[in-house]
Amino acid sequence: MNFKKLFLSLFFVLASLCAYAEVQITANVNKTLVDTSEDITLTITVKAPTTRDLSPIMPSLPNFNIYASGQDISRGMINGKVSSVQVFTYLLTPRFAGKSTIGSFTVNVDGQTYTTEPIEVEVYRAGQGNAKTSLNKTKKPAKNAAYTAANNSQIVQTLTNIAAAAAKNAASQSEAKAADAKNKISQVAPDFFMTAKTDKTTAYLNEQITLKIRFYQAFSTLGNPLYDRPKMEGLISEEIKTSTGYETIGSRQFAFTEFDIAVFGIVPGQAKIGSAAISYNVADSAMDAFDLFFSGRTGITKKVETAPIDISIRPLPKDGKPTSFYGAVGADYKINAEVDNSATQAGAPITLTVSISGNGNMRAIGNLPPPDLGGSFRVYETTSSSSTKIQNTLVGGTKVYKTIIVPRATGKYNIAPIEFSYFDTNEKIYKTIKLNDISLEVSPAAQETSEASAVSFAGDNPAQARVEKLSDDISYIKNGQLSLPSKILLFIANLGKINYLVFFFIAAALLFYFIDKGSIDLLSSRRALLKAKKAIIKAKELDGVSDALEDYLEAKLGEPIGSKTMENVSQKLALSAGLSAKLNGLWEEFSMLKYAPSSMVNAETLEDSAKKTLNLIEEIEKEIR
Amino acid sequence: MKNLAPLILFFSLLFALPPKAVAQQPKTADAQSSYDNGSYITAAELYENQIAAGDTSNPYLYYNLANSYFKAGDPDKAIINYYRAFKLLPRDKDIRGNLAFALADTGQRLTPEGVPATAFNLYHFFSLGELKGLMWAGLWLFAFALMFFVLSDRKVLGKKLLIIAAILTVFFGGWHLLRLPSESKRLAVVVAPRAEVRSGPGDSFVVSLNVPRAHLVSIIDSKGDWAQVEVNSQAQGSGWVLKNTIEEI
């Protein structure tokens, strides 16, 4: 029984550890039914037993313009193991009306790939309000963006600076005061408290809100206080700085630690900065300094926290939103574009670098479209990197886009002016910055140069000018079908076993052939009879009739008659004496009529001879069958 | 042989005719319009739908689909579909040209090194299906010529027909048999960013080669989620890759 309990306990401990160690990635959108003028906020939450950056790999999303809106990482420890909850936010602007799928995002952790479920989104054209209403009735409500820091995880941060400040303060206090404080240990709360305030409670999407959290302490704590960051709902945060100082409140002097945090709204609507909390240890009333020093006891744990703050996030104005707006919100943006080599050779890669700097959340700026260079360049995928710079309490920085382009042909080219727009939070308007063209001169590649120089004397003479190949590209699409002969051939090829019938026909033909050639005279005999009859009927002279008889007899004999007499023929065909006599008589009649005067051979004679011949053939056929 | 020359000329001209122009179906028109407007993904979806609807014998649908993928920056899908079109109609110079272009773009060749392009094009004038059809058509012609020779009195004509049919059958049958082994290979294209070629079908085996996206491999065998492949590039070799990293043509 005890073993069972032990086993079950171990099982549950292991199961909970395994569950914790598991990597989880989820994707949520704030709405699944939008019009083409609205944005969708997509939140990817990655929970993993690691604190390294786990930026997800995006699927191809051709139906949306994508703007990375921010990244928030909460690191913590559970059961002595590091963990993190990383939240990546993207703003998706639909490009087309219709149903679209946001494909699976993936992260790789220790060689394992984890993916999110695809999300179906329906986009309708702006202005189709009825469609939205009716569709809303049938669709499930979209999940709200689950943007919370790691719930229940104890985010631990050692506040060494707090301890140091408090120690300084404590050193200046008298021992009597410390003893008094010890006596009032049950009423310690007023000696420690926290405040949280923001510079504004209403802001535009991605506009910076500065949050200041202060932890006041009248005397030092035992050990290091533990700080729990405020949970953000609909917001992302970026730490600006931590500072310490003193402040006199009433008649008491407090040491304080201030955490300055930049907060950005990522979803229009109501957002919330949750409570920040600090846990600290103080000596309990039963302990004296000796106990504290030698017993190693840590005293009793207390906790103070701030009140939550509601923030209202306004959407960016739709009116006047330029097409070159990629999500930048803030002030004092600047843009610069340059190529590393403006005079290059065909086929040699050039790097086009576009840098955007200013005050605002750089990670909210989406990818710039690739430069429009026509077909004369091969343009590779743009890579981007961003760096953060904090001036006073303003978060800013630089985002750099690098695109490799390879000229395919020689000539002079201008990279079209690059435009970039941002929403100025000071003036509450969109502003557009436009750069000048970038000129490129592409000379022939090394092997082409010598060829070109060889014909350079051609000059401008049109007669000697040659066709210059500017670029290579695939051929255009075409419509058509396979030609009829091809279709017939494929039909024959696909006849399958029916095709094997051909061998039957060949075998049959060969059989007929050998029968025809062999001693079995069925066909040739029959054919000789038909042929003779045909020739006799068609004969216009007596010679035609006699020739037909001769051919018939040769066919029956299988050899030419030559000098054979009719007696020989009759013998070879084994004819009866009567029939042999008839054959002899008829043959002699033909011989006689052949040399008779023409007045004796008339139509009647011909008809009579033909009849006699036909009768004779019929009789021979009957006899030799 | 004098009688055979016009026949061969006739056959060549018959197959060299331009493709039969057809009235565009609405779906084709939509796809072409999307392609013209630069909406290559939409065009690709529309062509995919047409093929999925059963129009699998039209090489131009695969060609247009491949063009859409190529323009959308998806070279692996482009090569897969150019190859499908090439298998159906290898003598079309646009299909052949675009396949060669897409392969060259990823550092591969259509014409094997050392083989003159003209010889390669002649060798691939007919598709394998057409060669099979020609072989059977030759055999049928031989059978009928034999019947004619046996049954008819026009022995001279029968004999000529018999000789022509025999020559055609041997010629196209031989051509077909010559191409059969190489074209029966199960070609596939790497569709993942890279395919790790391992020495055995499992993660525990060492990676011997990395084949980048859009490169051709030949499938030799398969086992579970793994396929044994031969790499068709300069770095020759064979091994096992995960099936989901490649797509068979």
Side-chain angles (χ1 to χ4, degrees):
Chain A
M1 194 65 189
N2 286 336
F3 275 112
K4 267 189 182 175
K5 278 184 180 174
L6 186 65
F7 176 77
L8 279 173
S9 307
L10 275 170
F11 174 78
F12 283 116
V13 168
L14 283 171
S16 60
L17 280 173
C18 289
Y20 165 71
E22 203 173 81
V23 177
Q24 290 173 14
I25 176 168
T26 53
N28 288 300
V29 287
N30 62 333
K31 47 196 162 189
T32 54
L33 182 64
V34 290
D35 71 29
T36 46
S37 66
E38 288 181 304
D39 295 330
I40 299 166
T41 304
L42 169 68
T43 311
I44 307 295
T45 308
V46 185
K47 295 181 183 176
T50 174
T51 55
R52 68 181 172 81
D53 184 9
L54 295 173
S55 297
I57 301 164
M58 271 202 281
S60 171
L61 295 168
N63 295 342
F64 300 94
N65 290 325
I66 308 151
Y67 312 115
S69 184
Q71 177 181 353
D72 190 70
I73 303 178
S74 303
R75 297 178 175 88
M77 287 188 84
I78 296 178
N79 300 326
K81 294 196 172 193
V82 293
S83 71
S84 68
V85 178
Q86 306 188 18
V87 182
F88 303 88
T89 312
Y90 305 90
L91 279 181
L92 309 183
T93 309
R95 294 174 64 195
F96 313 106
K99 280 187 180 175
S100 295
T101 302
I102 300 170
S104 298
F105 282 63
T106 57
V107 287
N108 272 307
V109 181
D110 299 331
Q112 288 284 330
T113 304
Y114 301 87
T115 57
T116 63
E117 290 292 321
I119 300 173
E120 292 278 341
V121 175
E122 192 154 336
V123 182
Y124 57 95
R125 285 190 180 83
Q128 291 180 345
N130 291 339
K132 187 177 186 179
T133 313
S134 60
L135 283 167
N136 267 335
K137 285 177 187 169
T138 54
K139 297 273 171 192
K140 281 184 181 177
K143 286 181 185 174
N144 284 325
Y147 191 88
T148 54
N151 270 347
N152 305 321
S153 68
Q154 295 173 349
I155 301 174
V156 181
Q157 184 160 337
T158 307
L159 302 174
T160 50
N161 48 357
I162 297 176
K168 276 185 198 170
N169 188 32
S172 66
Q173 307 297 323
S174 66
E175 292 231 348
K177 196 173 178 181
D180 185 49
K182 193 176 175 184
N183 289 336
K184 293 176 182 173
I185 201 80
S186 60
Q187 298 167 7
V188 76
D191 296 327
F192 297 85
F193 64 96
M194 288 181 80
T195 61
K197 58 180 181 181
T198 55
D199 61 342
K200 56 185 89 131
T201 52
T202 301
Y204 279 106
L205 197 71
N206 271 315
E207 181 183 358
Q208 181 178 336
I209 303 158
T210 307
L211 167 67
K212 288 176 187 285
I213 296 171
R214 277 191 178 186
F215 171 55
Y216 290 91
Q217 58 185 122
F219 55 87
S220 61
T221 59
L222 296 177
N224 297 321
L226 301 177
Y227 170 51
D228 267 355
R229 293 175 179 196
K231 291 166 189 167
M232 301 287 173
E233 290 176 27
L235 302 161
I236 56 167
S237 62
E238 177 118 27
E239 281 181 20
I240 299 173
K241 64 175 179 177
T242 306
S243 57
T244 58
Y246 297 95
E247 189 177 335
T248 304
I249 300 170
S251 58
R252 298 182 69 186
Q253 193 181 26
F254 287 84
F256 71 82
T257 303
E258 184 179 280
F259 306 94
D260 291 351
I261 301 162
V263 178
F264 301 91
I266 53 168
V267 187
Q270 282 302 310
K272 192 174 186 178
I273 299 170
S275 298
I278 284 183
S279 304
Y280 55 94
N281 285 358
V282 291
D284 66 26
S285 55
M287 296 167 74
D288 56 23
F290 184 84
D291 287 338
L292 283 171
F293 188 81
F294 289 103
S295 66
R297 289 164 68 181
T298 53
I300 56 168
T301 303
K302 297 280 183 180
K303 186 178 181 182
V304 286
E305 60 182 23
T306 62
I309 302 170
D310 290 323
I311 304 284
S312 177
I313 303 297
R314 298 169 64 189
L316 295 174
K318 285 179 184 172
D319 294 337
K321 190 188 272 189
T323 51
S324 56
F325 177 73
Y326 305 110
V329 175
D332 302 327
Y333 276 96
K334 291 183 178 63
I335 181 168
N336 181 50
E338 58 186 18
V339 289
D340 59 348
N341 192 0
S342 60
T344 185
Q345 291 184 333
I350 307 164
T351 306
L352 169 68
T353 307
V354 179
S355 308
I356 295 164
S357 57
N359 290 328
N361 181 10
M362 286 295 140
R363 288 182 297 215
I365 307 173
N367 289 332
L368 299 185
D372 182 13
L373 298 166
S376 302
F377 289 81
R378 176 154 180 74
V379 181
Y380 289 85
E381 202 172 332
T382 302
T383 59
S384 66
S385 60
S386 59
S387 59
T388 305
K389 191 179 172 186
I390 293 158
Q391 281 185 321
N392 297 323
T393 56
L394 277 180
V395 174
T398 306
K399 188 147 189 173
V400 179
Y401 300 89
K402 286 184 185 288
T403 310
I404 293 174
I405 55 176
V406 181
R408 286 172 164 162
T410 57
K412 286 184 178 177
Y413 301 95
N414 279 337
I415 296 177
I418 294 168
E419 272 192 13
F420 173 75
S421 300
Y422 67 97
F423 183 72
D424 192 309
T425 47
N426 295 332
E427 297 179 40
K428 318 292 183 206
I429 53 166
Y430 289 101
K431 287 185 173 176
T432 300
I433 318 168
K434 195 171 180 179
L435 288 176
N436 291 331
D437 289 7
I438 298 175
S439 299
L440 283 177
E441 188 166 350
V442 182
S443 56
Q447 68 272 24
E448 289 178 333
T449 313
S450 57
E451 196 183 319
S453 62
V455 293
S456 61
F457 57 84
D460 294 332
N461 182 355
Q464 293 180 8
R466 61 178 184 173
V467 176
E468 189 181 7
K469 191 175 186 180
L470 293 176
S471 65
D472 281 323
D473 197 6
I474 53 169
S475 302
Y476 184 62
I477 53 172
K478 58 204 282 191
N479 294 306
Q481 280 187 352
L482 280 180
S483 59
L484 187 63
S486 293
K487 282 183 177 174
I488 292 169
L489 286 179
L490 292 177
F491 173 75
I492 294 170
N494 294 325
L495 281 175
K497 287 179 182 170
I498 295 172
N499 270 325
Y500 293 114
L501 278 176
V502 73
F503 296 113
F504 168 77
F505 280 100
I506 291 171
L510 287 174
L511 186 68
F512 280 130
Y513 176 74
F514 287 118
I515 288 171
D516 197 25
K517 286 289 277 182
S519 54
I520 309 166
D521 203 14
L522 294 173
L523 278 174
S524 58
S525 168
R526 187 75 190 153
R527 211 165 54 228
L529 173 67
L530 292 173
K531 197 178 165 184
K533 278 184 174 177
K534 213 170 165 182
I536 291 165
I537 291 163
K538 281 186 178 177
K540 289 178 181 172
E541 288 178 3
L542 202 61
D543 283 351
V545 181
S546 64
D547 287 348
L549 178 62
E550 193 176 342
D551 287 345
Y552 171 77
L553 293 172
E554 282 180 348
K556 291 289 157 187
L557 289 170
E559 57 185 277
I561 291 176
S563 58
K564 290 186 184 73
T565 60
M566 281 303 122
E567 280 85 11
N568 296 137
V569 172
S570 297
Q571 273 177 5
K572 283 217 167 195
L573 291 174
L575 296 178
S576 61
L579 205 51
S580 177
K582 271 188 182 179
L583 179 61
N584 267 329
L586 189 60
W587 199 249
E588 279 174 12
E589 196 178 317
F590 284 139
S591 301
M592 188 187 76
L593 289 171
K594 207 172 183 178
Y595 300 107
S598 57
S599 57
M600 284 184 70
V601 184
N602 52 26
E604 279 179 24
T605 321
L606 181 65
E607 194 181 343
D608 183 50
S609 298
K611 271 184 186 173
K612 281 180 185 171
T613 311
L614 282 172
N615 286 337
L616 180 69
I617 288 172
E618 291 285 349
E619 282 181 48
I620 293 172
E621 278 296 311
K622 279 180 190 167
E623 199 166 302
I624 65 173
R625 187 171 289 167
Chain B
M1 282 310 282
K2 274 183 185 174
N3 293 323
L4 206 58
L7 199 73
I8 290 171
L9 188 69
F10 170 74
F11 263 94
S12 303
L13 286 173
L14 206 61
F15 283 99
L17 283 174
K20 189 183 169 190
V22 287
Q24 281 190 21
Q25 293 175 348
K27 281 179 185 174
T28 311
D30 286 350
Q32 186 165 345
S33 163
S34 298
Y35 185 91
D36 290 342
N37 293 333
S39 304
Y40 302 119
I41 296 288
T42 312
E45 274 176 14
L46 291 168
Y47 286 124
E48 288 272 22
N49 289 345
Q50 269 185 269
I51 292 167
D55 202 352
T56 54
S57 61
N58 188 344
Y60 296 108
L61 277 182
Y62 289 111
Y63 168 79
N64 293 346
L65 175 62
N67 267 13
S68 306
Y69 276 127
F70 188 85
K71 286 287 186 186
D74 204 339
D76 42 335
K77 293 270 186 194
I79 288 172
I80 289 167
N81 289 291
Y82 279 137
Y83 248 110
R84 286 174 182 159
F86 181 72
K87 280 189 167 186
L88 288 168
L89 194 57
R91 63 187 160 275
D92 186 288
K93 68 178 174 55
D94 288 327
I95 292 174
R96 200 171 53 220
N98 283 9
L99 172 61
F101 191 93
L103 287 172
D105 221 34
T106 52
Q108 302 173 93
R109 299 172 62 103
L110 175 64
T111 313
E113 219 160 335
V115 176
T118 316
F120 179 84
N121 296 346
L122 271 176
Y123 185 61
H124 289 93
F125 185 81
F126 293 109
S127 70
L128 199 65
E130 286 171 342
L131 279 177
K132 191 178 172 187
L134 280 166
M135 181 185 76
W136 281 112
L139 265 173
W140 278 108
L141 186 65
F142 180 80
F144 289 126
L146 190 62
M147 294 290 267
F148 181 80
F149 177 75
V150 170
L151 297 177
S152 166
D153 287 335
R154 302 172 71 184
K155 298 288 180 198
V156 177
L157 179 65
K159 206 171 178 178
K160 279 181 183 174
L161 277 177
L162 209 53
I163 291 168
I164 291 169
I167 290 172
L168 287 177
T169 307
V170 171
F171 181 69
F172 289 117
W175 195 351
H176 177 251
L177 291 175
L178 206 62
R179 274 181 47 188
L180 199 57
S182 63
E183 295 193 30
S184 299
K185 274 186 179 178
R186 293 167 62 196
L187 276 183
V189 173
V190 175
V191 292
R194 68 171 192 276
E196 292 180 330
V197 181
R198 293 176 184 271
S199 57
D203 283 327
S204 56
F205 295 95
V206 293
V207 178
S208 54
L209 282 171
N210 262 332
V211 187
R213 182 188 283 276
H215 275 244
L216 287 164
V217 294
S218 304
I219 300 172
I220 304 166
D221 197 4
S222 66
K223 188 177 180 183
D225 292 337
W226 295 81
Q228 191 182 11
V229 297
E230 202 167 52
V231 180
N232 299 358
S233 70
Q234 290 168 342
Q236 293 287 336
S238 65
W240 295 81
V241 296
L242 270 170
K243 277 182 184 170
N244 60 11
T245 59
I246 56 172
E247 184 175 333
E248 194 169 347
I249 290 171

